[in-house]
């Protein structure tokens, strides 16, 4: 009896021990479901780009061989934008970070850090690691040029967070020569992160992501809008309006044809400008890049000048009005100012879209041709005026005033 009771006690003890071990394993083990075999569509619902063609890479952590980071990435061969999905193990009171570094060090890198908020939803923030000291780690969302806001999904069953974003590294401050992975403790609400307790690093082969076709994503739609905006503004401000202005100055001997040609070019150019402004307004809602504010502000100012020029033609005073000469001065100089500032703003816009090299080269060639044509026509203009300043009404200073007066009859 006694021995039987002793044996029963030992069996009960072992049973309780096994149950306790299982419970501890369940509650203390971080699920290591991060793997390249995961089908992203089955665990996420990203809307900023398709995920089917993205290529995956896994990175184990040194402190726990079962924990892994995995990321899917692809550089679109049309837009140059890189679509990325980061998958990392994450539990409450921890953070998971994915960074980009030029020299392969934490210092100077740009990181995308994810924590779990009080509601259990993932909270994604960008940081700049100026130095390894925590006091030199700053929140900074200007170092990555994102096409859309970052999306994140958390799988509570596998304790895995999935973070997706699309970045234009051509205009970003972050340099992706090396990819950094790290984990560490965070405050309960995820608002404060502490020094990492584990990290790993990968070097990109030839500093390049795999290249392919991402698909009809928001980035490709955005790229088409950027090209449309640039082409419309270049054709309006850079082609039609300058030609119309040269017709008004150098072709007045062909009266009244010069006036109608001038008006046709300017109105057509204004229509192209309106279309370009419309695409620009739409772009500004979904695109963020350093220097965009200045380009947008100057664009609004130029559009205002274009409207004023149109109104000036509609409301021009009669040819015998005393203020007609002041109207002429206003119309000439505001037009010249607008064309000059337009050249500056076109270059600013082309520099913002660094991948648009073909359009930039084309505009430089066009501008050079226009400047040469202007120099030749202006030289002829003044040579003819100096040769015979007192006769005729076509190639002397007074002809400008008379030509505008004759335009009132049409």
């Amino acid at each position: 009896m006694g021995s039987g009771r002793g044996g029963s006690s030992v069996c009960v003890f072992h049973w309780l021990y096994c149950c306790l071990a299982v419970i501890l394993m369940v509650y203390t083990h971080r699920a290591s479901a991060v793997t390249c075999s995961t089908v992203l569509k089955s665990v996420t619902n990203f809307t900023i780009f398709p995920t089917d063609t993205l290529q995956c890479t896994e990175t184990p952590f040194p402190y726990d061989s079962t924990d892994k980071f995995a990321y899917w990435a692809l550089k679109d061969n049309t837009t140059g934008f890189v679509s990325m999905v980061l998958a990392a193990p994450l539990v409450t009171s921890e953070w998971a970070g994915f960074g980009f570094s030029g020299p392969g060090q934490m210092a100077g890198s740009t990181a995308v850090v994810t924590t779990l908020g009080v509601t259990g939803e993932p909270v994604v923030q960008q940081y700049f690691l100026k130095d390894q000291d925590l006091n030199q780690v700053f929140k900074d969302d200007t170092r990555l040029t994102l096409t859309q806001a970052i999306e994140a999904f958390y799988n509570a069953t596998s304790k895995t967070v999935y973070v997706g974003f699309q970045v234009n590294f051509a205009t970003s401050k972050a340099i992706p020569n090396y990819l950094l992975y790290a984990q560490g403790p965070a405050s309960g609400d995820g608002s404060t992160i502490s020094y990492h307790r584990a990290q790993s690093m990968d070097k990109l082969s030839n500093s390049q992501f795999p290249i392919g076709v991402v698909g009809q994503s928001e980035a490709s739609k955005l790229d088409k809008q950027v090209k449309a905006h640039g082409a419309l503004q270049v054709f309006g401000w850079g082609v039609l309006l300058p030609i119309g202005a040269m017709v008004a100055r150098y072709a007045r001997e062909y009266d009244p044809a010069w006036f109608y040609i001038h008006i046709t070019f300017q109105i057509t150019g204004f229509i192209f400008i309106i279309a370009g402004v419309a695409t620009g307004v739409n772009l500004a809602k979904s695109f963020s890049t350093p220097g965009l504010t200045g380009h947008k502000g100057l664009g609004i100012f130029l559009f205002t000048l274009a409207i004023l020029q149109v109104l000036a033609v509609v409301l021009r005073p009669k040819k015998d009005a005393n203020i007609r000469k002041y109207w002429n001065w206003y119309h000439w100089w505001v037009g010249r100012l607008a064309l000059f500032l337009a050249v500056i703003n076109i270059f600013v816009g082309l520099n913002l879209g660094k991948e648009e090299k073909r359009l930039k080269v084309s505009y430089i060639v066009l501008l050079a041709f226009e400047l040469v044509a202007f120099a030749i026509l202006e030289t002829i203009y003044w040579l003819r005026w100096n040769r015979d300043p007192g006769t005729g009404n076509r190639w002397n200073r007074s002809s400008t005033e008379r030509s505008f007066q004759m335009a009132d009859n049409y």
Side-chain angles (χ1 to χ4, degrees):
M1 295 284 294
S3 60
R5 289 193 298 269
S8 299
S9 299
V10 172
C11 290
V12 171
F13 175 78
H14 281 292
W15 182 80
L16 291 173
Y17 177 81
C18 291
C19 289
L20 180 62
V22 171
I23 292 173
L24 288 174
M25 287 177 63
V26 170
Y27 282 96
T28 61
H29 180 68
R30 289 185 296 271
S32 56
V34 182
T35 169
C36 282
S37 63
T38 301
V39 179
L40 290 176
K41 276 189 175 181
S42 65
V43 293
T44 63
N45 187 29
F46 290 111
T47 61
I48 52 178
F49 51 77
T51 59
D52 297 342
T53 58
L54 271 59
Q55 299 183 25
C56 183
T57 302
E58 295 180 6
T59 298
F61 265 173
Y63 81 100
D64 185 352
S65 60
T66 63
D67 270 352
K68 293 181 181 179
F69 271 58
Y71 75 89
W72 291 257
L74 194 67
K75 182 177 181 180
D76 191 274
N77 57 10
T78 300
T79 65
F81 299 159
V82 178
S83 302
M84 301 192 70
V85 175
L86 164 69
L90 184 63
V91 296
T92 305
S93 300
E94 286 195 353
W95 60 266
F98 183 76
F100 306 97
S101 173
Q105 301 174 351
M106 296 290 287
S109 64
T110 299
V112 177
V113 176
T114 307
T115 56
L116 295 179
V118 292
T119 62
E121 293 296 319
V123 178
V124 184
Q125 299 181 91
Q126 298 178 51
Y127 287 86
F128 173 55
L129 287 66
K130 188 174 182 180
D131 205 338
Q132 294 184 358
D133 193 320
L134 277 177
N135 294 327
Q136 297 299 309
V137 177
F138 307 100
K139 292 181 181 179
D140 188 347
D141 59 0
T142 65
R143 298 185 61 81
L144 291 174
T145 304
L146 302 175
T147 64
Q148 295 285 315
I150 296 176
E151 290 185 339
F153 299 91
Y154 184 65
N155 189 317
T157 302
S158 63
K159 294 182 173 57
T160 303
V161 67
Y162 297 88
V163 181
F165 52 92
Q166 199 163 49
V167 58
N168 181 6
F169 282 108
T171 58
S172 295
K173 298 177 183 177
I175 303 175
N177 292 341
Y178 292 83
L179 305 181
L180 309 178
Y181 321 87
Q183 277 185 328
S187 60
D189 60 357
S191 61
T192 304
I193 64 174
S194 300
Y195 194 79
H196 65 79
R197 64 163 170 265
Q199 66 168 331
S200 185
M201 178 178 65
D202 281 338
K203 187 180 189 304
L204 278 178
S205 177
N206 298 322
S207 300
Q208 185 65 272
F209 290 98
I211 300 176
V213 179
V214 175
Q216 184 64 17
S217 63
E218 291 298 325
S220 59
K221 295 176 184 177
L222 184 66
D223 180 66
K224 290 179 181 178
Q225 292 179 24
V226 169
K227 290 180 177 179
H229 171 72
L232 288 168
Q233 296 295 62
V234 167
F235 194 66
W237 282 109
V239 179
L240 296 175
L241 296 191
I243 292 177
M246 284 192 283
V247 168
R249 181 165 178 82
Y250 304 119
R252 296 193 176 185
E253 58 185 298
Y254 304 105
D255 187 70
W258 75 266
F259 177 74
Y260 294 118
I261 295 174
H262 171 68
I263 290 297
T264 300
F265 271 95
Q266 304 312 87
I267 292 178
T268 306
F270 185 62
I271 293 173
F272 273 86
I273 290 170
I274 292 175
V277 169
T279 58
V281 170
N282 191 48
L283 278 172
K285 297 178 182 178
S286 56
F287 189 70
S288 178
T289 184
L292 181 61
T293 301
H295 177 64
K296 182 170 62 176
L298 186 53
I300 293 173
F301 179 67
L302 284 168
F303 186 53
T304 302
L305 293 182
I307 293 174
L308 291 176
Q309 285 291 81
V310 173
L311 292 176
V313 174
V314 174
L315 302 176
R316 69 187 185 278
K318 297 295 183 180
K319 59 183 179 181
D320 55 350
N322 293 330
I323 62 171
R324 180 56 182 258
K325 67 176 181 179
Y326 302 107
W327 178 88
N328 285 341
W329 294 342
Y330 160 82
H331 189 62
W332 300 335
W333 290 108
V334 170
R336 291 167 181 171
L337 174 64
L339 290 177
F340 173 75
L341 294 178
V343 172
I344 296 175
N345 208 33
I346 287 174
F347 275 112
V348 172
L350 292 174
N351 286 331
L352 290 177
K354 293 183 179 180
E355 65 277 2
E356 301 299 329
K357 294 182 180 179
R358 186 179 304 175
L359 183 59
K360 187 175 183 179
V361 171
S362 299
Y363 179 65
I364 291 175
V365 173
L366 172 67
L367 182 62
F369 178 80
E370 289 177 347
L371 291 175
V372 170
F374 168 77
I376 294 174
L377 291 172
E378 189 71 7
T379 300
I380 295 174
Y381 180 93
W382 286 105
L383 286 176
R384 294 180 68 171
W385 185 87
N386 289 327
R387 184 174 59 198
D388 192 10
T391 61
N393 64 351
R394 294 169 181 166
W395 288 92
N396 55 53
R397 288 175 178 169
S398 60
S399 71
T400 301
E401 177 68 22
R402 280 196 292 272
S403 295
F404 266 105
Q405 290 173 352
M406 286 188 290
D408 284 324
N409 298 323
Y410 306 105

